[in-house]
Amino acid sequence: MKKSLLFLLLFLLISYGFRENTSYAGEENSWQGEISFENINPVEASKKYCSQADKILRYFNAIPNKTKADEQKYLNAAKYFYYQAERADKSNTDALVGKARIALYENHIRDAKNALSIALNINEDNPKVNYYLGETFFKDGEFAKAVDFYLHAYTHGYRYNFWTNYKLGVAYEKLDAPERARIHYTNAVKANPNSKAAAARLAGLDMI
C-alpha cells in the first residue's frame, strides 16, 4: 500500500505542467496508468519499470523548447524508474543503458561510462550498450575509441541502424577517413532517406 501511495505521489509531482502539453497527452496517459508492480516477479517488474522510464524519456524528448524545469521534472522521474528497474533485476542492461542516457544528457560522462561498463560485463555483445559506450567516447572527443564501440554495435545487430551508421560516418570524418565515412553515411541515408543531416554530410564528401 505504501509503495502504491509513493508511486501516486511521484506521478502527481511530475504531472504538474503536463496539462498544457496536450499534444503529447496520449504518451502521458500511457505511462501514468501503470503505477505498481508489486505482484509480479522481479525480472518482469524490472522490465515494466524500464518501460515506464522509456516512455517518460520519449515524452520528454518530444517536448519543444524544453526548460530547465522540464529537465529536472522528467529526467528525475525517469531516473527513479531506472533505479527501481536495476534494483529489481541487477542484470537488466536496459536499466543501466537508461541511466547512462540520462547521464549523457546531463553531460555526466563518467557516470554514463560507469553504468555502461557494468552493462558490458553482463553482455559484451549487446549492441545498445556498445552504441552508447561509443557515444561517451564521442562526447569526450576520443573518436578512435568511439569507432571501436560503434563498430561492435554495427556488427552485433545495428548494421541497419540509422544512428550507428551516422555516428560512424561523423567519427570517421573526424579521423580523416572519408571513404569509410562515405560508406556509413550512405547506409544512414538508406536507413532514413528523410535525414537532411546525413544527406548533407554525404554530399559534402562527394564534393571532396
Side-chain angles (χ1 to χ4, degrees):
M1 182 65 178
K2 289 183 179 179
K3 288 184 179 179
S4 296
L5 290 174
L6 177 62
F7 282 124
L8 181 58
L9 177 61
L10 173 70
F11 278 110
L12 287 173
L13 287 172
I14 65 176
S15 63
Y16 178 78
F18 280 2
R19 303 183 194 100
E20 296 181 2
N21 297 325
T22 55
S23 60
Y24 306 110
E27 185 70 27
E28 171 196 342
N29 292 336
S30 71
W31 61 260
Q32 277 194 317
E34 301 172 26
I35 294 177
S36 178
F37 308 123
E38 295 177 5
N39 300 319
I40 59 178
N41 72 67
V43 172
E44 288 304 311
S46 182
K47 291 177 181 178
K48 287 184 177 292
Y49 283 126
C50 264
S51 178
Q52 296 291 65
D54 289 345
K55 288 175 183 177
I56 292 169
L57 285 188
R58 284 198 301 272
Y59 187 97
F60 170 71
N61 287 330
I63 297 173
N65 305 316
K66 299 176 185 63
T67 65
K68 285 292 183 182
D70 289 330
E71 289 181 22
Q72 183 176 15
K73 179 167 51 185
Y74 297 110
L75 295 184
N76 284 346
K79 281 180 189 178
Y80 174 83
F81 284 108
Y82 285 131
Y83 167 79
Q84 293 295 342
E86 186 185 7
R87 186 166 173 265
D89 178 11
K90 296 291 186 184
S91 68
N92 187 338
T93 55
D94 285 337
L96 291 161
V97 169
K99 289 171 64 177
R101 288 173 61 196
I102 294 173
L104 279 169
Y105 191 92
E106 296 175 331
N107 207 33
H108 298 158
I109 310 295
R110 181 179 294 181
D111 291 342
K113 285 182 178 178
N114 288 342
L116 292 166
S117 294
I118 296 170
L120 197 68
N121 286 331
I122 296 169
N123 182 355
E124 64 181 11
D125 291 330
N126 184 310
K128 184 187 289 187
V129 173
N130 279 276
Y131 171 79
Y132 280 104
L133 269 168
E135 290 286 86
T136 66
F137 286 103
F138 188 95
K139 279 208 165 193
D140 268 346
E142 298 183 63
F143 301 113
K145 288 184 179 179
V147 163
D148 287 342
F149 286 106
Y150 287 145
L151 277 178
H152 202 82
Y154 177 83
T155 57
H156 288 81
Y158 275 16
R159 181 176 296 272
Y160 304 107
N161 178 271
F162 168 79
W163 282 111
T164 302
N165 279 288
Y166 181 77
K167 294 308 282 283
L168 273 167
V170 175
Y172 275 129
E173 266 200 279
K174 299 284 188 182
L175 294 169
D176 196 24
E179 291 308 314
R180 291 184 178 181
R182 180 179 282 106
I183 291 170
H184 290 288
Y185 286 143
T186 300
N187 290 344
V189 170
K190 288 179 180 177
N192 182 5
N194 295 321
S195 172
K196 294 180 180 179
R201 284 189 172 271
L202 182 59
L205 287 179
D206 288 339
M207 293 174 65
I208 297 175

